[in-house]
Amino acid sequence: MKMQLAWGLLIGLASNAHAGDSMMMGSDFTNGPKLYVGASAGSSKLGDTCNDPFFSGNCNDQDFAWKAFGGARFDPMVGVELAYYDLGSSSMNGITGGSTAKLDSSTTGTGITGVGYVPITPQIEAFGKVGAIAWNNKTSKTVGGGLTQQEDSTGISPLIGGGAQFQMNSNLHLRGEWEHMFNIGSDSAYETDADLYSLGLSYSTL
């Protein structure tokens, strides 16, 4: 359902392309794509970490997270973006099945998305994105004070997101966004969806 909504958003953004051309500041693409780089920081949430019904104790599924990104805009409405993500860590420390248990899990990844833009005012635009993330999840689990089990899993999962950005000057943008990654840790015992809420800056050639 979320993927269908995301595709619908991008189709809707594309349908407003002609209206948007007249509103964007510095929207001359006659010399080719406009490139940008940036970084964002915020909070991640690994939503299924604390859903073990047999666990009691302390569980933390939120952490500081950040990403570095770069991209290209082919016209005022369409672009592509590449990003490196550090989604932080989640942890559990308590009792499960009558035994003490401790778990720590961290996730990083590289994502690529198609991005659609729609102008709100001459300086503010909304955007939506759909793509995929190649993730790496590292988990350490100790049960009953015994042997620590290590698991290092990788995979590729769908990614969707959306947000808005404010054009501070001809090159600098302030952006806030939400991104959702599906099934991080897929095919492992620690599978979870992940959300990233972030605020950042980008520098572009616009």
Side-chain angles (χ1 to χ4, degrees):
M1 182 64 180
K2 291 179 180 178
M3 292 296 291
Q4 292 174 341
L5 290 174
W7 282 115
L9 173 62
L10 285 183
I11 292 171
L13 292 176
S15 69
N16 289 288
H18 295 297
D21 288 350
S22 63
M23 294 183 67
M24 286 300 298
M25 293 174 57
S27 58
D28 181 9
F29 287 81
T30 56
N31 294 323
K34 305 301 182 181
L35 306 179
Y36 63 90
V37 295
S40 297
S43 175
S44 65
K45 181 177 176 62
L46 304 179
D48 299 322
T49 300
C50 300
N51 288 346
D52 185 348
F54 304 105
F55 175 82
S56 62
N58 297 320
C59 184
N60 181 22
D61 61 2
Q62 293 182 273
D63 197 13
F64 172 79
W66 61 273
K67 70 172 184 172
F69 58 88
R73 292 183 66 167
F74 306 110
D75 60 44
M77 306 303 295
V78 178
V80 63
E81 187 168 294
L82 180 70
Y84 173 80
Y85 296 84
D86 187 330
L87 298 178
S89 301
S90 58
S91 62
M92 300 172 69
N93 192 354
I95 298 174
T96 183
S99 300
T100 59
K102 182 178 180 180
L103 181 144
D104 293 288
S105 180
S106 62
T107 302
T108 58
T110 300
I112 184 168
T113 53
V115 187
Y117 301 86
V118 62
I120 306 300
T121 73
Q123 289 180 289
I124 299 173
E125 59 185 353
F127 59 87
K129 57 175 61 176
V130 176
I133 180 171
W135 48 261
N136 175 234
N137 178 259
K138 296 181 179 180
T139 301
S140 173
K141 183 177 182 180
T142 304
V143 178
L147 183 66
T148 298
Q149 301 173 353
Q150 305 281 349
E151 181 168 336
D152 192 340
S153 59
T154 59
I156 299 176
S157 297
L159 183 158
I160 63 173
Q165 63 182 16
F166 172 74
Q167 188 170 9
M168 302 172 69
N169 58 40
S170 59
N171 301 106
L172 197 62
H173 292 76
L174 175 68
R175 66 151 67 177
E177 62 184 309
W178 158 80
E179 293 166 282
H180 183 84
M181 300 95 173
F182 296 87
N183 301 328
I184 300 296
S186 178
D187 299 324
S188 77
Y190 313 109
E191 180 179 334
T192 178
D193 286 5
D195 291 280
L196 173 61
Y197 305 88
S198 64
L199 184 67
L201 291 171
S202 67
Y203 180 87
S204 77
T205 57
L206 281 172

